[in-house]
Every structure is written in C-alpha cells, then in structure tokens.
Amino acid sequence: MNPRLQAGDALLIIDLQRDFLPGGSLAVPDGDAVVAPLNVWISRFGAEGLPIFATFDWHPADHCSFREQGGPWPAHCIAGTPGAGFADGLALPPGAIRLPKATARDVDAYSGFSGTELHLHLQWAMVRRLFVGGLATDYCVLRSALDARRLGYEVVLLRDAMRAVDLQPGDGERAIASMVEAGAVMLEDSA
Ligand code: VGL
Ligand code: ZN
C-alpha cells in the first residue's frame, strides 16, 4: 500500500523529542530510527501543501507521571529543557503546527488529543485522514491513534516511523494490533 496523498490528509508526528531517543532520560529503544522515515513523509506532505502536526510532551518539573511523584516514568520532557526539544535532525518545517500536551502537574495525557486543540485544528484544516508516526508505539502513538479513530478520522500507521518502549516484550506489537482492530490501516514501508 502506498496511498497517494490527497486533500484531507495530514501528517501527525507524536512526541519526537530528545528525551525519548537513545541517550535521553526515557529512551525508546531504536527511537532515533524513526527520524529518517518521518523526514521522508515531511517532505512529501510539504510538497503537496498538506498540513503537518507535531505533538510534544511538555511536563512541569514535578509532573505526576514522574517516579519522584509516585508515577511510572523517570523525569522526562520537562518544559523548557533541552530534553523536551524536538529530535535533532527532524526536519519539521516552520509551518508545522506544534501542540504541547500533558502540561498540567496533576494530569498525564498520552493522547495528542487529550487536553489539546488538535481535533479543532484538524477540523479547521478539513483533515479526514491522519498518517501517524513517532514515539512511543505502545503509549502516545497508541492513545492518539485510538482517539483519532473514535473521532472519525481514517488512520494510516507509518510502521517504520514508530518504535515502542516495550516495558513488557510484545507491548508494541499488541499496540499495533489494537490500532488495527480499531480500524487503522498499516503502511509498512515509507520508502
Ligand atoms: C510517552 C511515556 C511517558 C510517549 C510520554 O510519548 O509515548 N510515554 N510520556
Ligand atoms: Zn510523558
């Protein structure tokens, strides 16, 4: 499947931030491997004049998801720190819409739709189909794709442009299976 891009398509890049890459505080194994395929999609969407959205985790220093607060994760993506910045090498154009999420201390938000205006932006842009990649397959990509399906968007999973935390072996594969179960379509190869 290599679907021709058309009006109504948008690229949705989830949380491609330094802290989620190897060397970062919540490194997703092989997470940096998604930068190259995402850059291919960025240039395709740019060439067609189609919109690009990028969510990012933007936590206060005492966020409830951090272990110090009793949460499950090491501190990561603290607002304003280098680790919260987009991955070096990600060719995000100036016109890409950037959406912070999980900015409040007491609420975590895996989905890019949770507490953001993503759905509004997509409606304004008359988006019907989302091409989704980023990090991590088993958390924020999963939750974003499921919300997108629930809100009525078609979802194309960019399989080679996402990686999983895999706290339990197989989490990533199970996440893919539940997104497909929810009606997402898989695109294996970005080349
Ligand atoms: C994420 C864990 C904690 C993600 C964010 O982007 O998938 N995972 N915060
Ligand atoms: Zn987070």
Side-chain angles (χ1 to χ4, degrees), residues 11-17 53-59 97-103 108-122 130 132-133 135-137 139-151 153 179:
L11 179 62
L12 177 59
I13 300 173
I14 305 293
D15 298 5
L16 211 69
Q17 294 166 267
F53 299 86
T55 67
F56 57 100
D57 241 12
W58 194 249
H59 297 315
I97 310 259
R98 294 150 163 87
L99 297 151
K101 65 181 180 61
T103 60
D108 203 6
Y110 289 144
S111 170
F113 291 94
S114 175
T116 73
E117 298 199 325
L118 177 57
H119 184 42
L120 272 179
H121 279 283
L122 295 173
L130 287 170
V132 182
L135 303 171
T137 309
Y139 293 93
C140 291
V141 172
L142 171 66
R143 291 293 140 199
S144 301
L146 293 180
D147 276 350
R149 288 297 301 140
R150 197 170 44 72
L151 291 164
Y153 298 98
M179 291 186 277

Side-chain angles (χ1 to χ4, degrees), residues 25-148:
S25 64
L26 207 176
V28 177
D30 205 29
D32 48 350
V34 307
V35 173
L38 283 173
N39 282 341
V40 169
W41 286 105
I42 286 169
S43 72
R44 285 177 186 156
F45 275 77
E48 301 292 332
L50 293 168
I52 299 171
F53 299 86
T55 67
F56 57 100
D57 241 12
W58 194 249
H59 297 315
D62 57 351
H63 190 247
C64 62
S65 77
F66 298 170
R67 282 181 194 140
E68 295 73 16
Q69 270 60 243
W73 304 112
H76 63 278
C77 298
I78 294 171
T81 64
F86 287 112
D88 302 290
L90 184 69
L92 211 53
I97 310 259
R98 294 150 163 87
L99 297 151
K101 65 181 180 61
T103 60
R105 193 190 58 157
D106 295 324
V107 194
D108 203 6
Y110 289 144
S111 170
F113 291 94
S114 175
T116 73
E117 298 199 325
L118 177 57
H119 184 42
L120 272 179
H121 279 283
L122 295 173
Q123 290 178 303
W124 290 330
M126 304 225 282
V127 171
R128 291 184 303 274
R129 184 167 65 163
L130 287 170
F131 287 60
V132 182
L135 303 171
T137 309
D138 38 357
Y139 293 93
C140 291
V141 172
L142 171 66
R143 291 293 140 199
S144 301
L146 293 180
D147 276 350

